[in-house]
PDB file of all heavy atoms in Angstrom:
ATOM      1  N   ALA B 449      91.243 103.367 108.721  1.00  0.00           N
ATOM      2  CA  ALA B 449      92.199 102.897 109.719  1.00  0.00           C
ATOM      3  C   ALA B 449      91.795 103.256 111.138  1.00  0.00           C
ATOM      4  O   ALA B 449      92.415 102.830 112.083  1.00  0.00           O
ATOM      5  CB  ALA B 449      93.565 103.496 109.423  1.00  0.00           C
ATOM      6  N   GLY B 450      90.769 104.044 111.298  1.00  0.00           N
ATOM      7  CA  GLY B 450      90.385 104.424 112.657  1.00  0.00           C
ATOM      8  C   GLY B 450      90.557 105.913 112.876  1.00  0.00           C
ATOM      9  O   GLY B 450      90.820 106.668 111.967  1.00  0.00           O
ATOM     10  N   LEU B 451      90.387 106.332 114.097  1.00  0.00           N
ATOM     11  CA  LEU B 451      90.491 107.748 114.453  1.00  0.00           C
ATOM     12  C   LEU B 451      91.867 108.301 114.089  1.00  0.00           C
ATOM     13  O   LEU B 451      92.889 107.686 114.385  1.00  0.00           O
ATOM     14  CB  LEU B 451      90.350 107.903 115.967  1.00  0.00           C
ATOM     15  CG  LEU B 451      88.996 108.197 116.580  1.00  0.00           C
ATOM     16  CD1 LEU B 451      89.173 108.385 118.075  1.00  0.00           C
ATOM     17  CD2 LEU B 451      88.364 109.434 115.989  1.00  0.00           C
ATOM     18  N   ASP B 452      91.878 109.505 113.471  1.00  0.00           N
ATOM     19  CA  ASP B 452      93.153 110.134 113.132  1.00  0.00           C
ATOM     20  C   ASP B 452      94.001 110.342 114.377  1.00  0.00           C
ATOM     21  O   ASP B 452      95.222 110.215 114.354  1.00  0.00           O
ATOM     22  CB  ASP B 452      92.919 111.507 112.486  1.00  0.00           C
ATOM     23  CG  ASP B 452      92.443 111.370 111.044  1.00  0.00           C
ATOM     24  OD1 ASP B 452      92.784 110.356 110.413  1.00  0.00           O
ATOM     25  OD2 ASP B 452      91.737 112.267 110.578  1.00  0.00           O
ATOM     26  N   ALA B 453      93.349 110.691 115.495  1.00  0.00           N
ATOM     27  CA  ALA B 453      94.102 110.995 116.706  1.00  0.00           C
ATOM     28  C   ALA B 453      94.852 109.783 117.214  1.00  0.00           C
ATOM     29  O   ALA B 453      95.857 109.910 117.901  1.00  0.00           O
ATOM     30  CB  ALA B 453      93.156 111.509 117.786  1.00  0.00           C
ATOM     31  N   ALA B 454      94.346 108.608 116.863  1.00  0.00           N
ATOM     32  CA  ALA B 454      94.977 107.394 117.371  1.00  0.00           C
ATOM     33  C   ALA B 454      96.114 106.892 116.489  1.00  0.00           C
ATOM     34  O   ALA B 454      96.741 105.889 116.805  1.00  0.00           O
ATOM     35  CB  ALA B 454      93.922 106.295 117.502  1.00  0.00           C
ATOM     36  N   GLN B 455      96.370 107.567 115.397  1.00  0.00           N
ATOM     37  CA  GLN B 455      97.383 107.064 114.475  1.00  0.00           C
ATOM     38  C   GLN B 455      98.800 107.429 114.862  1.00  0.00           C
ATOM     39  O   GLN B 455      99.747 106.845 114.374  1.00  0.00           O
ATOM     40  CB  GLN B 455      97.135 107.610 113.049  1.00  0.00           C
ATOM     41  CG  GLN B 455      95.785 107.247 112.486  1.00  0.00           C
ATOM     42  CD  GLN B 455      95.561 105.764 112.456  1.00  0.00           C
ATOM     43  OE1 GLN B 455      96.444 105.013 112.052  1.00  0.00           O
ATOM     44  NE2 GLN B 455      94.413 105.341 112.927  1.00  0.00           N
ATOM     45  N   LEU B 456      98.949 108.462 115.707  1.00  0.00           N
ATOM     46  CA  LEU B 456     100.308 108.890 116.017  1.00  0.00           C
ATOM     47  C   LEU B 456     101.054 107.844 116.812  1.00  0.00           C
ATOM     48  O   LEU B 456     100.519 107.249 117.734  1.00  0.00           O
ATOM     49  CB  LEU B 456     100.283 110.188 116.834  1.00  0.00           C
ATOM     50  CG  LEU B 456     100.081 111.487 116.054  1.00  0.00           C
ATOM     51  CD1 LEU B 456     100.194 112.658 117.010  1.00  0.00           C
ATOM     52  CD2 LEU B 456     101.098 111.624 114.940  1.00  0.00           C
ATOM     53  N   LYS B 457     102.326 107.657 116.430  1.00  0.00           N
ATOM     54  CA  LYS B 457     103.148 106.752 117.214  1.00  0.00           C
ATOM     55  C   LYS B 457     103.983 107.581 118.181  1.00  0.00           C
ATOM     56  O   LYS B 457     104.272 108.741 117.906  1.00  0.00           O
ATOM     57  CB  LYS B 457     104.081 105.995 116.280  1.00  0.00           C
ATOM     58  CG  LYS B 457     103.309 105.545 115.055  1.00  0.00           C
ATOM     59  CD  LYS B 457     104.167 104.764 114.125  1.00  0.00           C
ATOM     60  CE  LYS B 457     104.105 103.326 114.581  1.00  0.00           C
ATOM     61  NZ  LYS B 457     105.120 102.536 113.907  1.00  0.00           N
ATOM     62  N   PRO B 458     104.376 106.953 119.284  1.00  0.00           N
ATOM     63  CA  PRO B 458     105.204 107.711 120.234  1.00  0.00           C
ATOM     64  C   PRO B 458     106.463 108.249 119.558  1.00  0.00           C
ATOM     65  O   PRO B 458     107.010 107.634 118.651  1.00  0.00           O
ATOM     66  CB  PRO B 458     105.560 106.659 121.292  1.00  0.00           C
ATOM     67  CG  PRO B 458     104.509 105.620 121.183  1.00  0.00           C
ATOM     68  CD  PRO B 458     104.089 105.601 119.750  1.00  0.00           C
ATOM     69  N   ALA B 459     106.895 109.416 120.015  1.00  0.00           N
ATOM     70  CA  ALA B 459     108.009 110.105 119.371  1.00  0.00           C
ATOM     71  C   ALA B 459     109.260 109.251 119.311  1.00  0.00           C
ATOM     72  O   ALA B 459     110.021 109.314 118.347  1.00  0.00           O
ATOM     73  CB  ALA B 459     108.292 111.402 120.105  1.00  0.00           C
ATOM     74  N   LYS B 460     109.480 108.443 120.348  1.00  0.00           N
ATOM     75  CA  LYS B 460     110.736 107.703 120.348  1.00  0.00           C
ATOM     76  C   LYS B 460     110.784 106.633 119.252  1.00  0.00           C
ATOM     77  O   LYS B 460     111.841 106.127 118.927  1.00  0.00           O
ATOM     78  CB  LYS B 460     111.016 107.091 121.720  1.00  0.00           C
ATOM     79  CG  LYS B 460     109.952 106.144 122.238  1.00  0.00           C
ATOM     80  CD  LYS B 460     110.368 105.731 123.657  1.00  0.00           C
ATOM     81  CE  LYS B 460     109.611 104.563 124.226  1.00  0.00           C
ATOM     82  NZ  LYS B 460     108.196 104.651 124.325  1.00  0.00           N
ATOM     83  N   GLU B 461     109.626 106.298 118.673  1.00  0.00           N
ATOM     84  CA  GLU B 461     109.640 105.318 117.585  1.00  0.00           C
ATOM     85  C   GLU B 461     109.798 105.972 116.221  1.00  0.00           C
ATOM     86  O   GLU B 461     109.803 105.291 115.199  1.00  0.00           O
ATOM     87  CB  GLU B 461     108.319 104.534 117.576  1.00  0.00           C
ATOM     88  CG  GLU B 461     108.161 103.610 118.755  1.00  0.00           C
ATOM     89  CD  GLU B 461     106.784 102.940 118.722  1.00  0.00           C
ATOM     90  OE1 GLU B 461     106.263 102.689 117.611  1.00  0.00           O
ATOM     91  OE2 GLU B 461     106.245 102.711 119.812  1.00  0.00           O
ATOM     92  N   CYS B 462     109.873 107.304 116.180  1.00  0.00           N
ATOM     93  CA  CYS B 462     109.931 107.987 114.886  1.00  0.00           C
ATOM     94  C   CYS B 462     111.152 108.877 114.814  1.00  0.00           C
ATOM     95  O   CYS B 462     111.749 109.215 115.827  1.00  0.00           O
ATOM     96  CB  CYS B 462     108.692 108.866 114.706  1.00  0.00           C
ATOM     97  SG  CYS B 462     107.181 107.970 114.925  1.00  0.00           S
ATOM     98  N   THR B 463     111.486 109.263 113.585  1.00  0.00           N
ATOM     99  CA  THR B 463     112.634 110.163 113.461  1.00  0.00           C
ATOM    100  C   THR B 463     112.151 111.583 113.226  1.00  0.00           C
ATOM    101  O   THR B 463     111.240 111.800 112.432  1.00  0.00           O
ATOM    102  CB  THR B 463     113.502 109.773 112.252  1.00  0.00           C
ATOM    103  OG1 THR B 463     112.617 109.335 111.212  1.00  0.00           O
ATOM    104  CG2 THR B 463     114.472 108.677 112.590  1.00  0.00           C
ATOM    105  N   PRO B 464     112.812 112.538 113.889  1.00  0.00           N
ATOM    106  CA  PRO B 464     112.460 113.941 113.648  1.00  0.00           C
ATOM    107  C   PRO B 464     112.732 114.287 112.187  1.00  0.00           C
ATOM    108  O   PRO B 464     113.632 113.719 111.578  1.00  0.00           O
ATOM    109  CB  PRO B 464     113.400 114.729 114.552  1.00  0.00           C
ATOM    110  CG  PRO B 464     113.902 113.761 115.545  1.00  0.00           C
ATOM    111  CD  PRO B 464     113.864 112.408 114.927  1.00  0.00           C
ATOM    112  N   ILE B 465     111.934 115.176 111.637  1.00  0.00           N
ATOM    113  CA  ILE B 465     112.087 115.547 110.233  1.00  0.00           C
ATOM    114  C   ILE B 465     112.806 116.876 110.163  1.00  0.00           C
ATOM    115  O   ILE B 465     112.429 117.834 110.820  1.00  0.00           O
ATOM    116  CB  ILE B 465     110.713 115.668 109.562  1.00  0.00           C
ATOM    117  CG1 ILE B 465     109.937 114.368 109.755  1.00  0.00           C
ATOM    118  CG2 ILE B 465     110.869 115.985 108.083  1.00  0.00           C
ATOM    119  CD1 ILE B 465     108.538 114.424 109.187  1.00  0.00           C
TER     120      ILE B 465
END
Side-chain angles (χ1 to χ4, degrees):
Chain B
L451 266 184
D452 285 332
Q455 301 303 315
L456 279 184
K457 317 182 87 192
K460 58 184 193 302
E461 291 176 33
C462 306
T463 37
I465 305 177

